[in-house]
Amino acid sequence: MSDVIYQSGRLLVSSTLFRTARRSYRIRDIERITIKRPLFWFSLPLAIGSYLLLKEYSQYLFEEEKYVCLFTMTIVPVTFWFIGTLSITSKSYSNDDAITGFMPRLQKTRKAIESVIFNSSTTFETKENKHG
């Protein structure tokens, strides 16, 4: 097996392979890598709705309901900010969600894949220019 660039849990990035718990990708087939925060964007309307509910109807709410509103408008968006989805577009998969997880881990994985892609593409271009 080729040298390991980055490994965290079941994620592995080597010079030729990107492996997740569900699927493996050849590095040379990867065309685009994106990281998104879909849960965060889902939590924003919930947070705004909880704020408006608390603001307009707080006198009618029980204490437990007020705590649920406070939790939904503060803790949920902050927590979901740290959860992301790494998507891979490759020659065989069109915008495949490779893994959902902790955002700093996904960012390190993305940087590792990019370093391999850009090192291999510059190596290929250098070899091509020498021979052609």
CSV table of all heavy atoms in Angstrom, one decimal, residues 36-86:
chain,number,residue,atom,x,y,z
A,36,LYS,N,-19.6,21.2,3.3
A,36,LYS,CA,-20.8,22.0,3.5
A,36,LYS,C,-21.3,21.8,5.0
A,36,LYS,O,-20.9,20.8,5.6
A,36,LYS,CB,-22.0,21.5,2.6
A,36,LYS,CG,-21.6,21.6,1.1
A,36,LYS,CD,-22.8,20.9,0.4
A,36,LYS,CE,-22.2,20.4,-0.9
A,36,LYS,NZ,-23.1,19.4,-1.5
A,37,ARG,N,-22.1,22.7,5.4
A,37,ARG,CA,-22.7,22.6,6.8
A,37,ARG,C,-24.2,22.5,6.6
A,37,ARG,O,-24.9,23.5,7.0
A,37,ARG,CB,-22.3,23.8,7.6
A,37,ARG,CG,-20.9,23.8,8.0
A,37,ARG,CD,-20.6,25.0,8.9
A,37,ARG,NE,-19.4,24.9,9.5
A,37,ARG,CZ,-18.2,25.5,9.2
A,37,ARG,NH1,-18.3,26.3,8.1
A,37,ARG,NH2,-17.1,25.4,9.8
A,38,PRO,N,-24.8,21.5,6.1
A,38,PRO,CA,-26.3,21.4,5.9
A,38,PRO,C,-27.1,21.5,7.2
A,38,PRO,O,-28.2,22.0,7.2
A,38,PRO,CB,-26.5,20.1,5.1
A,38,PRO,CG,-25.3,19.3,5.4
A,38,PRO,CD,-24.2,20.2,5.7
A,39,LEU,N,-26.6,20.8,8.2
A,39,LEU,CA,-27.3,20.8,9.5
A,39,LEU,C,-27.4,22.2,10.1
A,39,LEU,O,-28.4,22.6,10.7
A,39,LEU,CB,-26.8,19.8,10.5
A,39,LEU,CG,-26.9,18.4,10.1
A,39,LEU,CD1,-26.2,17.5,11.1
A,39,LEU,CD2,-28.3,18.0,9.9
A,40,PHE,N,-26.3,23.0,9.9
A,40,PHE,CA,-26.3,24.4,10.5
A,40,PHE,C,-27.4,25.2,9.8
A,40,PHE,O,-28.1,25.9,10.5
A,40,PHE,CB,-24.9,25.0,10.3
A,40,PHE,CG,-24.9,26.4,10.7
A,40,PHE,CD1,-24.9,26.8,12.0
A,40,PHE,CD2,-24.9,27.4,9.7
A,40,PHE,CE1,-24.9,28.2,12.4
A,40,PHE,CE2,-24.8,28.8,10.1
A,40,PHE,CZ,-24.9,29.1,11.4
A,41,TRP,N,-27.5,25.1,8.5
A,41,TRP,CA,-28.5,25.9,7.8
A,41,TRP,C,-29.9,25.4,8.1
A,41,TRP,O,-30.8,26.2,8.1
A,41,TRP,CB,-28.2,25.9,6.3
A,41,TRP,CG,-26.9,26.5,6.0
A,41,TRP,CD1,-25.7,25.8,5.5
A,41,TRP,CD2,-26.4,27.8,6.2
A,41,TRP,NE1,-24.7,26.7,5.4
A,41,TRP,CE2,-25.1,27.9,5.8
A,41,TRP,CE3,-27.1,29.0,6.6
A,41,TRP,CZ2,-24.4,29.1,5.9
A,41,TRP,CZ3,-26.4,30.1,6.7
A,41,TRP,CH2,-25.0,30.2,6.3
A,42,PHE,N,-30.0,24.2,8.4
A,42,PHE,CA,-31.3,23.6,8.9
A,42,PHE,C,-31.7,24.2,10.3
A,42,PHE,O,-32.9,24.4,10.6
A,42,PHE,CB,-31.3,22.1,8.9
A,42,PHE,CG,-32.5,21.5,9.5
A,42,PHE,CD1,-33.7,21.4,8.8
A,42,PHE,CD2,-32.5,20.9,10.7
A,42,PHE,CE1,-34.8,20.9,9.3
A,42,PHE,CE2,-33.6,20.3,11.3
A,42,PHE,CZ,-34.8,20.3,10.5
A,43,SER,N,-30.7,24.4,11.1
A,43,SER,CA,-30.9,24.8,12.5
A,43,SER,C,-31.3,26.3,12.6
A,43,SER,O,-31.9,26.7,13.6
A,43,SER,CB,-29.7,24.5,13.4
A,43,SER,OG,-28.6,25.3,13.1
A,44,LEU,N,-30.9,27.1,11.6
A,44,LEU,CA,-31.1,28.6,11.7
A,44,LEU,C,-32.6,28.9,11.7
A,44,LEU,O,-33.0,29.7,12.6
A,44,LEU,CB,-30.4,29.3,10.6
A,44,LEU,CG,-28.9,29.5,10.8
A,44,LEU,CD1,-28.3,30.3,9.6
A,44,LEU,CD2,-28.6,30.1,12.1
A,45,PRO,N,-33.4,28.4,10.9
A,45,PRO,CA,-34.9,28.7,11.0
A,45,PRO,C,-35.5,28.2,12.3
A,45,PRO,O,-36.3,28.9,12.9
A,45,PRO,CB,-35.5,27.9,9.8
A,45,PRO,CG,-34.4,27.7,8.9
A,45,PRO,CD,-33.2,27.6,9.7
A,46,LEU,N,-35.0,27.1,12.8
A,46,LEU,CA,-35.4,26.6,14.2
A,46,LEU,C,-35.0,27.6,15.3
A,46,LEU,O,-35.8,27.9,16.2
A,46,LEU,CB,-34.9,25.3,14.5
A,46,LEU,CG,-35.3,24.1,13.6
A,46,LEU,CD1,-34.6,22.8,14.0
A,46,LEU,CD2,-36.8,23.9,13.8
A,47,ALA,N,-33.8,28.2,15.2
A,47,ALA,CA,-33.3,29.1,16.2
A,47,ALA,C,-34.1,30.4,16.1
A,47,ALA,O,-34.5,31.0,17.1
A,47,ALA,CB,-31.9,29.4,16.0
A,48,ILE,N,-34.4,30.9,14.9
A,48,ILE,CA,-35.2,32.1,14.7
A,48,ILE,C,-36.6,31.9,15.2
A,48,ILE,O,-37.1,32.8,15.9
A,48,ILE,CB,-35.1,32.6,13.2
A,48,ILE,CG1,-33.7,33.0,12.9
A,48,ILE,CG2,-36.1,33.7,13.0
A,48,ILE,CD1,-33.4,33.2,11.4
A,49,GLY,N,-37.2,30.8,14.8
A,49,GLY,CA,-38.5,30.5,15.3
A,49,GLY,C,-38.6,30.4,16.8
A,49,GLY,O,-39.6,30.9,17.4
A,50,SER,N,-37.6,29.8,17.4
A,50,SER,CA,-37.6,29.7,18.9
A,50,SER,C,-37.5,31.1,19.5
A,50,SER,O,-38.1,31.3,20.6
A,50,SER,CB,-36.5,28.8,19.3
A,50,SER,OG,-36.7,27.5,18.9
A,51,TYR,N,-36.6,31.9,19.0
A,51,TYR,CA,-36.5,33.3,19.5
A,51,TYR,C,-37.8,34.0,19.4
A,51,TYR,O,-38.2,34.7,20.4
A,51,TYR,CB,-35.4,34.0,18.7
A,51,TYR,CG,-35.3,35.5,19.0
A,51,TYR,CD1,-34.8,35.9,20.2
A,51,TYR,CD2,-35.8,36.4,18.1
A,51,TYR,CE1,-34.8,37.3,20.5
A,51,TYR,CE2,-35.8,37.7,18.4
A,51,TYR,CZ,-35.3,38.2,19.6
A,51,TYR,OH,-35.3,39.5,19.9
A,52,LEU,N,-38.4,34.0,18.2
A,52,LEU,CA,-39.7,34.7,18.1
A,52,LEU,C,-40.8,34.1,19.0
A,52,LEU,O,-41.6,34.9,19.6
A,52,LEU,CB,-40.1,34.6,16.6
A,52,LEU,CG,-39.3,35.4,15.6
A,52,LEU,CD1,-39.7,35.1,14.2
A,52,LEU,CD2,-39.2,36.8,15.9
A,53,LEU,N,-40.8,32.8,19.2
A,53,LEU,CA,-41.8,32.2,20.1
A,53,LEU,C,-41.5,32.7,21.5
A,53,LEU,O,-42.5,33.0,22.2
A,53,LEU,CB,-41.7,30.7,20.0
A,53,LEU,CG,-42.6,29.9,20.8
A,53,LEU,CD1,-44.1,30.0,20.3
A,53,LEU,CD2,-42.2,28.4,20.9
A,54,LEU,N,-40.3,32.7,21.9
A,54,LEU,CA,-39.9,33.1,23.3
A,54,LEU,C,-40.2,34.6,23.5
A,54,LEU,O,-40.7,35.0,24.5
A,54,LEU,CB,-38.5,32.8,23.5
A,54,LEU,CG,-37.9,32.9,24.9
A,54,LEU,CD1,-38.7,31.9,25.8
A,54,LEU,CD2,-36.5,32.6,25.0
A,55,LYS,N,-40.0,35.4,22.5
A,55,LYS,CA,-40.2,36.8,22.6
A,55,LYS,C,-41.7,37.2,22.6
A,55,LYS,O,-42.1,38.0,23.4
A,55,LYS,CB,-39.5,37.5,21.3
A,55,LYS,CG,-39.7,39.0,21.3
A,55,LYS,CD,-39.1,39.6,20.1
A,55,LYS,CE,-39.4,41.1,20.0
A,55,LYS,NZ,-39.2,41.6,18.7
A,56,GLU,N,-42.5,36.6,21.8
A,56,GLU,CA,-43.9,36.9,21.7
A,56,GLU,C,-44.8,36.2,22.8
A,56,GLU,O,-45.8,36.8,23.2
A,56,GLU,CB,-44.4,36.6,20.3
A,56,GLU,CG,-43.8,37.4,19.2
A,56,GLU,CD,-44.1,38.9,19.3
A,56,GLU,OE1,-45.2,39.3,19.7
A,56,GLU,OE2,-43.2,39.7,19.1
A,57,TYR,N,-44.4,35.0,23.1
A,57,TYR,CA,-45.3,34.2,24.0
A,57,TYR,C,-44.7,33.8,25.3
A,57,TYR,O,-45.2,32.8,25.9
A,57,TYR,CB,-45.8,33.0,23.2
A,57,TYR,CG,-46.6,33.4,22.0
A,57,TYR,CD1,-46.1,33.2,20.7
A,57,TYR,CD2,-47.9,33.9,22.1
A,57,TYR,CE1,-46.8,33.6,19.6
A,57,TYR,CE2,-48.6,34.2,21.0
A,57,TYR,CZ,-48.0,34.1,19.7
A,57,TYR,OH,-48.7,34.4,18.6
A,58,SER,N,-43.6,34.4,25.8
A,58,SER,CA,-43.0,33.9,27.0
A,58,SER,C,-43.9,33.9,28.2
A,58,SER,O,-43.7,33.1,29.1
A,58,SER,CB,-41.7,34.8,27.2
A,58,SER,OG,-42.1,36.1,27.5
A,59,GLN,N,-44.8,34.9,28.2
A,59,GLN,CA,-45.7,34.9,29.4
A,59,GLN,C,-46.7,33.7,29.5
A,59,GLN,O,-47.2,33.4,30.5
A,59,GLN,CB,-46.5,36.2,29.4
A,59,GLN,CG,-47.3,36.4,28.2
A,59,GLN,CD,-47.9,37.8,28.2
A,59,GLN,OE1,-47.8,38.6,29.2
A,59,GLN,NE2,-48.6,38.2,27.1
A,60,TYR,N,-46.9,33.1,28.3
A,60,TYR,CA,-47.8,31.9,28.3
A,60,TYR,C,-47.1,30.6,28.3
A,60,TYR,O,-47.7,29.5,28.4
A,60,TYR,CB,-48.6,32.0,27.0
A,60,TYR,CG,-49.4,33.3,26.8
A,60,TYR,CD1,-49.1,34.1,25.8
A,60,TYR,CD2,-50.4,33.6,27.7
A,60,TYR,CE1,-49.8,35.3,25.6
A,60,TYR,CE2,-51.1,34.8,27.5
A,60,TYR,CZ,-50.8,35.6,26.5
A,60,TYR,OH,-51.5,36.8,26.3
A,61,LEU,N,-45.7,30.6,28.3
A,61,LEU,CA,-45.0,29.4,28.2
A,61,LEU,C,-44.6,28.9,29.6
A,61,LEU,O,-44.3,29.7,30.5
A,61,LEU,CB,-43.7,29.5,27.4
A,61,LEU,CG,-43.9,29.9,25.9
A,61,LEU,CD1,-42.5,30.1,25.3
A,61,LEU,CD2,-44.6,28.7,25.2
A,62,PHE,N,-44.5,27.6,29.8
A,62,PHE,CA,-44.0,27.0,31.1
A,62,PHE,C,-42.5,27.2,31.1
A,62,PHE,O,-41.9,27.4,30.0
A,62,PHE,CB,-44.3,25.5,31.2
A,62,PHE,CG,-45.8,25.2,31.3
A,62,PHE,CD1,-46.5,24.6,30.3
A,62,PHE,CD2,-46.5,25.6,32.5
A,62,PHE,CE1,-47.8,24.3,30.5
A,62,PHE,CE2,-47.8,25.4,32.6
A,62,PHE,CZ,-48.5,24.7,31.6
A,63,GLU,N,-41.9,27.1,32.3
A,63,GLU,CA,-40.4,27.2,32.4
A,63,GLU,C,-39.7,26.2,31.5
A,63,GLU,O,-38.7,26.6,30.9
A,63,GLU,CB,-40.0,27.1,33.8
A,63,GLU,CG,-40.4,28.3,34.7
A,63,GLU,CD,-39.7,29.6,34.3
A,63,GLU,OE1,-38.5,29.6,34.0
A,63,GLU,OE2,-40.4,30.6,34.2
A,64,GLU,N,-40.1,25.0,31.5
A,64,GLU,CA,-39.5,24.0,30.7
A,64,GLU,C,-39.5,24.3,29.2
A,64,GLU,O,-38.6,24.1,28.4
A,64,GLU,CB,-40.1,22.6,30.9
A,64,GLU,CG,-40.0,22.0,32.3
A,64,GLU,CD,-41.0,22.6,33.3
A,64,GLU,OE1,-42.0,23.2,32.9
A,64,GLU,OE2,-40.8,22.4,34.5
A,65,GLU,N,-40.6,24.9,28.7
A,65,GLU,CA,-40.8,25.3,27.3
A,65,GLU,C,-39.8,26.4,27.0
A,65,GLU,O,-39.3,26.5,25.9
A,65,GLU,CB,-42.2,25.7,27.0
A,65,GLU,CG,-43.2,24.5,27.1
A,65,GLU,CD,-44.6,24.9,27.1
A,65,GLU,OE1,-45.0,26.0,27.5
A,65,GLU,OE2,-45.4,24.1,26.6
A,66,LYS,N,-39.6,27.3,28.0
A,66,LYS,CA,-38.7,28.4,27.8
A,66,LYS,C,-37.3,27.9,27.6
A,66,LYS,O,-36.5,28.4,26.8
A,66,LYS,CB,-38.8,29.4,28.9
A,66,LYS,CG,-40.1,30.2,28.9
A,66,LYS,CD,-40.1,31.1,30.1
A,66,LYS,CE,-41.4,31.9,30.2
A,66,LYS,NZ,-41.5,32.7,31.4
A,67,TYR,N,-36.9,26.9,28.4
A,67,TYR,CA,-35.6,26.3,28.4
A,67,TYR,C,-35.4,25.6,27.0
A,67,TYR,O,-34.3,25.6,26.4
A,67,TYR,CB,-35.4,25.3,29.5
A,67,TYR,CG,-35.3,26.0,30.9
A,67,TYR,CD1,-35.9,25.5,32.0
A,67,TYR,CD2,-34.5,27.1,31.0
A,67,TYR,CE1,-35.8,26.1,33.2
A,67,TYR,CE2,-34.4,27.8,32.3
A,67,TYR,CZ,-35.0,27.2,33.3
A,67,TYR,OH,-34.9,27.9,34.5
A,68,VAL,N,-36.4,24.9,26.5
A,68,VAL,CA,-36.3,24.3,25.2
A,68,VAL,C,-36.1,25.3,24.1
A,68,VAL,O,-35.3,25.1,23.2
A,68,VAL,CB,-37.6,23.4,24.9
A,68,VAL,CG1,-37.6,23.0,23.5
A,68,VAL,CG2,-37.7,22.2,25.8
A,69,CYS,N,-36.8,26.4,24.2
A,69,CYS,CA,-36.6,27.5,23.2
A,69,CYS,C,-35.2,28.1,23.3
A,69,CYS,O,-34.5,28.3,22.3
A,69,CYS,CB,-37.6,28.6,23.4
A,69,CYS,SG,-39.3,28.2,22.9
A,70,LEU,N,-34.7,28.3,24.5
A,70,LEU,CA,-33.3,28.8,24.7
A,70,LEU,C,-32.3,27.9,24.2
A,70,LEU,O,-31.3,28.2,23.5
A,70,LEU,CB,-33.1,29.1,26.2
A,70,LEU,CG,-33.7,30.4,26.8
A,70,LEU,CD1,-33.5,30.4,28.3
A,70,LEU,CD2,-33.1,31.6,26.1
A,71,PHE,N,-32.5,26.6,24.4
A,71,PHE,CA,-31.6,25.5,23.9
A,71,PHE,C,-31.6,25.5,22.4
A,71,PHE,O,-30.5,25.5,21.8
A,71,PHE,CB,-32.0,24.2,24.5
A,71,PHE,CG,-31.2,23.0,24.0
A,71,PHE,CD1,-30.0,22.8,24.6
A,71,PHE,CD2,-31.7,22.2,23.0
A,71,PHE,CE1,-29.2,21.7,24.1
A,71,PHE,CE2,-30.9,21.2,22.5
A,71,PHE,CZ,-29.7,20.9,23.1
A,72,THR,N,-32.8,25.6,21.8
A,72,THR,CA,-32.9,25.5,20.4
A,72,THR,C,-32.3,26.7,19.7
A,72,THR,O,-31.7,26.6,18.6
A,72,THR,CB,-34.4,25.4,20.0
A,72,THR,OG1,-34.9,24.2,20.6
A,72,THR,CG2,-34.6,25.2,18.5
A,73,MET,N,-32.4,27.9,20.3
A,73,MET,CA,-31.9,29.1,19.6
A,73,MET,C,-30.4,29.3,19.9
A,73,MET,O,-29.8,30.1,19.2
A,73,MET,CB,-32.7,30.3,20.0
A,73,MET,CG,-32.6,30.8,21.4
A,73,MET,SD,-33.7,32.1,21.7
A,73,MET,CE,-32.6,33.3,22.4
A,74,THR,N,-29.8,28.6,20.9
A,74,THR,CA,-28.4,28.9,21.1
A,74,THR,C,-27.5,27.6,20.9
A,74,THR,O,-26.6,27.7,20.1
A,74,THR,CB,-28.2,29.4,22.6
A,74,THR,OG1,-28.8,28.4,23.5
A,74,THR,CG2,-28.8,30.7,22.8
A,75,ILE,N,-27.8,26.6,21.6
A,75,ILE,CA,-26.9,25.4,21.6
A,75,ILE,C,-27.0,24.6,20.3
A,75,ILE,O,-26.0,24.2,19.8
A,75,ILE,CB,-27.3,24.5,22.8
A,75,ILE,CG1,-27.1,25.2,24.1
A,75,ILE,CG2,-26.4,23.2,22.7
A,75,ILE,CD1,-25.8,25.8,24.4
A,76,VAL,N,-28.2,24.5,19.7
A,76,VAL,CA,-28.3,23.7,18.5
A,76,VAL,C,-27.5,24.3,17.3
A,76,VAL,O,-26.8,23.6,16.7
A,76,VAL,CB,-29.8,23.5,18.2
A,76,VAL,CG1,-30.0,22.9,16.8
A,76,VAL,CG2,-30.5,22.7,19.2
A,77,PRO,N,-27.7,25.6,17.0
A,77,PRO,CA,-26.8,26.2,15.9
A,77,PRO,C,-25.3,26.1,16.2
A,77,PRO,O,-24.6,25.8,15.3
A,77,PRO,CB,-27.3,27.6,15.8
A,77,PRO,CG,-28.6,27.7,16.4
A,77,PRO,CD,-28.6,26.6,17.5
A,78,VAL,N,-24.9,26.3,17.4
A,78,VAL,CA,-23.5,26.3,17.7
A,78,VAL,C,-23.0,24.8,17.5
A,78,VAL,O,-21.9,24.6,17.0
A,78,VAL,CB,-23.2,26.8,19.2
A,78,VAL,CG1,-21.8,26.5,19.6
A,78,VAL,CG2,-23.5,28.3,19.2
A,79,THR,N,-23.7,23.9,18.0
A,79,THR,CA,-23.3,22.5,17.8
A,79,THR,C,-23.3,22.1,16.4
A,79,THR,O,-22.3,21.4,15.9
A,79,THR,CB,-24.3,21.6,18.6
A,79,THR,OG1,-24.3,21.9,20.0
A,79,THR,CG2,-23.9,20.1,18.5
A,80,PHE,N,-24.3,22.5,15.6
A,80,PHE,CA,-24.4,22.1,14.2
A,80,PHE,C,-23.4,22.8,13.4
A,80,PHE,O,-23.1,22.4,12.2
A,80,PHE,CB,-25.8,22.3,13.7
A,80,PHE,CG,-26.8,21.2,14.1
A,80,PHE,CD1,-28.1,21.4,13.9
A,80,PHE,CD2,-26.4,20.1,14.8
A,80,PHE,CE1,-29.0,20.4,14.3
A,80,PHE,CE2,-27.3,19.1,15.2
A,80,PHE,CZ,-28.6,19.3,14.9
A,81,TRP,N,-22.8,23.9,13.9
A,81,TRP,CA,-21.7,24.6,13.1
A,81,TRP,C,-20.5,23.7,13.0
A,81,TRP,O,-19.8,23.7,12.0
A,81,TRP,CB,-21.3,25.9,13.9
A,81,TRP,CG,-20.2,26.6,13.2
A,81,TRP,CD1,-18.9,26.6,13.6
A,81,TRP,CD2,-20.3,27.4,12.0
A,81,TRP,NE1,-18.2,27.4,12.7
A,81,TRP,CE2,-19.0,27.9,11.7
A,81,TRP,CE3,-21.3,27.7,11.1
A,81,TRP,CZ2,-18.7,28.7,10.6
A,81,TRP,CZ3,-21.1,28.5,10.0
A,81,TRP,CH2,-19.8,29.0,9.8
A,82,PHE,N,-20.3,22.8,14.0
A,82,PHE,CA,-19.1,21.9,14.0
A,82,PHE,C,-19.4,20.6,13.3
A,82,PHE,O,-18.6,19.7,13.4
A,82,PHE,CB,-18.7,21.7,15.4
A,82,PHE,CG,-18.1,22.9,16.0
A,82,PHE,CD1,-18.8,23.7,16.9
A,82,PHE,CD2,-16.8,23.3,15.7
A,82,PHE,CE1,-18.3,24.8,17.5
A,82,PHE,CE2,-16.3,24.5,16.2
A,82,PHE,CZ,-17.0,25.2,17.1
A,83,ILE,N,-20.5,20.4,12.7
A,83,ILE,CA,-20.8,19.2,11.9
A,83,ILE,C,-20.9,19.5,10.5
A,83,ILE,O,-21.7,20.4,10.1
A,83,ILE,CB,-22.2,18.5,12.4
A,83,ILE,CG1,-22.0,18.2,13.9
A,83,ILE,CG2,-22.5,17.3,11.6
A,83,ILE,CD1,-23.3,17.7,14.5
A,84,GLY,N,-20.2,18.8,9.6
A,84,GLY,CA,-20.2,19.1,8.2
A,84,GLY,C,-20.3,17.8,7.4
A,84,GLY,O,-20.2,16.7,7.9
A,85,THR,N,-20.4,18.0,6.1
A,85,THR,CA,-20.4,16.9,5.1
A,85,THR,C,-19.3,17.2,4.1
A,85,THR,O,-19.3,18.2,3.4
A,85,THR,CB,-21.8,16.8,4.4
A,85,THR,OG1,-22.8,16.6,5.4
A,85,THR,CG2,-21.8,15.7,3.5
A,86,LEU,N,-18.5,16.2,3.9
A,86,LEU,CA,-17.5,16.3,2.8
A,86,LEU,C,-18.0,15.6,1.6
A,86,LEU,O,-18.4,14.4,1.7
A,86,LEU,CB,-16.2,15.6,3.3
A,86,LEU,CG,-15.0,15.6,2.3
A,86,LEU,CD1,-13.9,16.6,2.9
A,86,LEU,CD2,-14.4,14.3,2.1
